Coordinates of all heavy atoms in Angstrom, one line a residue:
H834 N 110.3 66.3 126.0 CA 108.9 66.5 125.9 C 108.3 66.7 127.2 O 108.6 66.0 128.2 CB 108.3 65.3 125.1 CG 106.8 65.5 124.9 ND1 106.2 66.6 124.5 CD2 105.7 64.5 125.1 CE1 104.9 66.4 124.4 NE2 104.6 65.2 124.8
R835 N 107.3 67.6 127.2 CA 106.6 68.0 128.4 C 107.5 68.6 129.5 O 107.5 68.2 130.7 CB 105.7 66.9 129.0 CG 104.5 66.6 128.2 CD 103.4 65.9 129.0 NE 102.3 65.5 128.1 CZ 101.2 64.9 128.5 NH1 101.1 64.6 129.9 NH2 100.2 64.7 127.8
T836 N 108.4 69.4 129.1 CA 109.4 70.0 130.1 C 109.2 71.5 129.9 O 108.2 72.2 130.3 CB 110.8 69.5 130.0 OG1 111.3 69.6 128.7 CG2 110.8 68.1 130.4
L837 N 110.2 72.2 129.4 CA 110.3 73.7 129.3 C 109.1 74.3 128.7 O 108.6 75.3 129.2 CB 111.6 74.0 128.6 CG 111.8 75.5 128.4 CD1 111.9 76.2 129.7 CD2 113.1 75.8 127.5
T838 N 108.6 73.8 127.5 CA 107.6 74.4 126.8 C 106.2 74.2 127.4 O 105.2 74.8 127.0 CB 107.5 74.0 125.3 OG1 107.3 72.6 125.3 CG2 108.9 74.3 124.7
H839 N 106.2 73.4 128.5 CA 104.9 73.1 129.2 C 104.8 73.7 130.6 O 104.4 73.1 131.5 CB 104.7 71.6 129.3 CG 104.4 70.9 128.0 ND1 105.3 70.8 126.9 CD2 103.2 70.3 127.6 CE1 104.6 70.2 125.9 NE2 103.5 69.9 126.3
T840 N 105.4 75.0 130.6 CA 105.5 75.7 131.9 C 104.8 77.0 131.8 O 104.7 77.6 130.7 CB 106.9 75.8 132.4 OG1 107.6 76.7 131.5 CG2 107.6 74.5 132.5
W841 N 104.4 77.6 132.9 CA 103.8 78.9 132.9 C 104.8 80.0 132.4 O 104.4 80.9 131.8 CB 103.3 79.3 134.4 CG 104.4 79.5 135.3 CD1 105.0 78.6 136.2 CD2 105.0 80.8 135.6 NE1 106.0 79.2 136.9 CE2 106.0 80.5 136.6 CE3 104.9 82.0 135.1 CZ2 106.9 81.5 137.1 CZ3 105.8 83.1 135.6 CH2 106.8 82.8 136.6
L842 N 106.1 79.8 132.8 CA 107.1 80.7 132.4 C 107.2 80.8 130.9 O 107.4 81.9 130.3 CB 108.4 80.4 133.1 CG 109.6 81.4 132.8 CD1 109.2 82.8 133.3 CD2 110.9 80.8 133.5
W843 N 107.2 79.6 130.2 CA 107.3 79.6 128.8 C 106.1 80.4 128.2 O 106.2 81.1 127.2 CB 107.3 78.2 128.3 CG 107.3 78.1 126.8 CD1 106.3 78.0 126.0 CD2 108.5 78.0 125.9 NE1 106.6 77.9 124.7 CE2 108.0 77.9 124.6 CE3 109.9 78.1 126.1 CZ2 108.8 77.8 123.5 CZ3 110.7 78.0 125.0 CH2 110.2 77.9 123.7
A844 N 104.8 80.1 128.8 CA 103.7 80.8 128.2 C 103.8 82.3 128.3 O 103.4 83.0 127.4 CB 102.5 80.2 129.0
V845 N 104.3 82.7 129.5 CA 104.4 84.2 129.6 C 105.4 84.8 128.7 O 105.1 85.8 128.0 CB 104.8 84.5 131.1 CG1 105.2 86.0 131.2 CG2 103.6 84.2 132.1
L846 N 106.5 84.1 128.5 CA 107.6 84.6 127.6 C 107.1 84.7 126.1 O 107.4 85.7 125.4 CB 108.8 83.7 127.8 CG 109.6 83.9 129.1 CD1 110.7 82.9 129.1 CD2 110.1 85.3 129.3
I847 N 106.4 83.6 125.6 CA 106.0 83.7 124.2 C 104.9 84.7 124.1 O 104.8 85.3 123.0 CB 105.7 82.3 123.7 CG1 104.5 81.7 124.5 CG2 106.9 81.3 123.7 CD1 103.9 80.4 123.8
G848 N 104.0 84.8 125.0 CA 102.9 85.8 124.9 C 103.5 87.2 124.9 O 103.1 88.0 124.1
A849 N 104.4 87.5 125.8 CA 105.0 88.8 125.9 C 105.9 89.1 124.6 O 105.8 90.2 124.1 CB 105.9 88.9 127.1
G850 N 106.6 88.1 124.2 CA 107.4 88.2 123.0 C 106.5 88.5 121.7 O 106.9 89.4 120.9
A851 N 105.4 87.8 121.6 CA 104.4 88.1 120.5 C 103.9 89.5 120.6 O 103.8 90.2 119.5 CB 103.3 87.1 120.5
S852 N 103.5 90.0 121.8 CA 103.0 91.4 121.9 C 104.1 92.4 121.6 O 103.8 93.4 120.8 CB 102.6 91.7 123.4 OG 101.4 90.9 123.7
V853 N 105.3 92.2 122.0 CA 106.5 93.1 121.6 C 106.7 93.1 120.1 O 106.8 94.2 119.5 CB 107.7 92.8 122.4 CG1 108.9 93.5 121.8 CG2 107.5 93.0 123.8
L854 N 106.6 91.9 119.5 CA 106.8 91.8 118.1 C 105.7 92.6 117.3 O 106.0 93.2 116.3 CB 106.9 90.3 117.6 CG 107.1 90.0 116.2 CD1 108.4 90.6 115.7 CD2 107.0 88.5 115.9
A855 N 104.5 92.4 117.8 CA 103.3 93.0 117.1 C 103.4 94.5 117.1 O 103.0 95.1 116.1 CB 102.0 92.5 117.7
I856 N 103.8 95.1 118.2 CA 103.8 96.6 118.2 C 105.1 97.2 117.7 O 105.1 98.5 117.5 CB 103.6 97.1 119.7 CG1 104.7 96.6 120.7 CG2 102.2 96.6 120.2 CD1 104.5 97.2 122.0
T857 N 106.1 96.4 117.5 CA 107.4 97.0 117.0 C 107.6 96.5 115.5 O 108.4 97.2 114.8 CB 108.6 96.5 117.8 OG1 108.7 95.1 117.8 CG2 108.5 97.0 119.3
G858 N 107.1 95.5 115.1 CA 107.4 94.9 113.8 C 106.4 95.4 112.7 O 106.6 95.1 111.5
G859 N 105.4 96.1 113.0 CA 104.5 96.6 112.0 C 103.5 95.6 111.4 O 103.4 94.5 112.0
R860 N 103.0 95.9 110.3 CA 102.0 95.1 109.7 C 102.5 93.7 109.3 O 101.8 92.7 109.5 CB 101.5 95.8 108.4 CG 100.4 94.9 107.6 CD 99.9 95.7 106.4 NE 98.9 94.8 105.7 CZ 97.7 94.6 106.0 NH1 97.2 95.2 107.1 NH2 96.9 93.9 105.3
W861 N 103.8 93.6 108.9 CA 104.3 92.3 108.5 C 104.5 91.3 109.7 O 104.3 90.1 109.5 CB 105.6 92.5 107.7 CG 105.4 93.0 106.3 CD1 105.6 94.2 105.9 CD2 104.7 92.3 105.2 NE1 105.2 94.4 104.6 CE2 104.7 93.2 104.1 CE3 104.2 91.1 105.0 CZ2 104.1 92.9 102.9 CZ3 103.6 90.7 103.8 CH2 103.6 91.7 102.8
A862 N 104.8 91.9 110.8 CA 104.9 91.1 112.0 C 103.5 90.6 112.4 O 103.4 89.4 112.8 CB 105.5 91.9 113.2
V863 N 102.5 91.4 112.3 CA 101.1 91.0 112.6 C 100.7 89.9 111.7 O 100.1 88.9 112.1 CB 100.2 92.2 112.6 CG1 98.7 91.7 112.7 CG2 100.5 93.2 113.7
L864 N 101.0 90.1 110.4 CA 100.6 89.1 109.4 C 101.3 87.8 109.7 O 100.7 86.7 109.5 CB 101.0 89.6 108.0 CG 100.0 90.6 107.4 CD1 100.6 91.2 106.1 CD2 98.7 90.1 107.1
G865 N 102.6 87.8 110.1 CA 103.3 86.6 110.4 C 102.7 85.8 111.6 O 102.5 84.6 111.6
I866 N 102.3 86.6 112.6 CA 101.7 86.0 113.8 C 100.4 85.4 113.4 O 100.1 84.3 113.9 CB 101.6 87.1 114.9 CG1 102.9 87.5 115.5 CG2 100.6 86.5 116.0 CD1 102.8 88.7 116.4
L867 N 99.6 86.1 112.6 CA 98.3 85.5 112.2 C 98.5 84.3 111.4 O 97.8 83.3 111.6 CB 97.5 86.6 111.5 CG 97.0 87.8 112.2 CD1 96.3 88.8 111.3 CD2 96.0 87.4 113.3
F868 N 99.4 84.4 110.4 CA 99.6 83.3 109.5 C 100.0 82.0 110.2 O 99.4 80.9 110.1 CB 100.6 83.6 108.4 CG 101.1 82.5 107.6 CD1 100.3 81.9 106.6 CD2 102.3 81.9 107.8 CE1 100.7 80.8 105.9 CE2 102.8 80.8 107.1 CZ 101.9 80.3 106.1
A869 N 101.0 82.1 111.1 CA 101.5 80.9 111.9 C 100.4 80.3 112.6 O 100.3 79.1 112.7 CB 102.7 81.4 112.7
H870 N 99.6 81.1 113.4 CA 98.6 80.6 114.2 C 97.4 80.0 113.5 O 96.7 79.1 114.0 CB 98.3 81.6 115.4 CG 99.4 81.7 116.3 ND1 100.4 82.6 116.2 CD2 99.6 81.0 117.5 CE1 101.3 82.5 117.2 NE2 100.8 81.6 118.0
I871 N 97.0 80.7 112.4 CA 95.9 80.2 111.7 C 96.3 78.8 111.0 O 95.4 77.9 111.0 CB 95.5 81.1 110.6 CG1 94.8 82.4 111.2 CG2 94.5 80.6 109.6 CD1 94.6 83.6 110.3
V872 N 97.5 78.7 110.5 CA 98.0 77.3 110.1 C 97.8 76.3 111.2 O 97.2 75.2 110.9 CB 99.4 77.4 109.6 CG1 100.0 76.0 109.4 CG2 99.6 78.2 108.3
L873 N 98.3 76.6 112.4 CA 98.2 75.6 113.4 C 96.7 75.4 113.8 O 96.4 74.2 114.2 CB 98.9 76.2 114.7 CG 100.5 76.3 114.5 CD1 101.0 76.9 115.8 CD2 101.0 74.9 114.3
A874 N 95.9 76.4 113.8 CA 94.4 76.2 114.1 C 93.8 75.3 113.1 O 93.0 74.4 113.5 CB 93.7 77.6 114.1
I875 N 94.1 75.5 111.8 CA 93.5 74.6 110.8 C 94.1 73.2 111.0 O 93.3 72.2 110.9 CB 93.8 75.1 109.4 CG1 93.2 76.5 109.1 CG2 93.4 74.1 108.3 CD1 93.7 77.2 107.9
E876 N 95.4 73.0 111.3 CA 95.9 71.7 111.4 C 95.3 71.0 112.6 O 95.1 69.8 112.6 CB 97.4 71.8 111.6 CG 98.2 72.3 110.4 CD 98.5 71.1 109.4 OE1 98.1 69.9 109.7 OE2 99.1 71.4 108.3

């Protein structure tokens, strides 16, 4: 806890990964990103 996932490098990697997934995976990838993060936002 509070190690790898709490670093700037992790933030950059997951942000970049999400962007790549969004532009290569089509509508279903966008829906998956939205769904996962809206669940977390509500929680």
Side-chain angles (χ1 to χ4, degrees):
H834 182 44
R835 286 203 186 182
T836 54
L837 178 61
T838 62
H839 287 67
T840 65
W841 69 270
L842 183 58
W843 176 272
V845 170
L846 289 175
I847 61 169
S852 288
V853 171
L854 180 63
I856 64 174
T857 60
R860 179 176 175 81
W861 288 107
V863 171
L864 285 170
I866 292 170
L867 291 177
F868 169 74
H870 287 87
I871 291 173
V872 168
L873 293 178
I875 295 171
E876 291 280 359

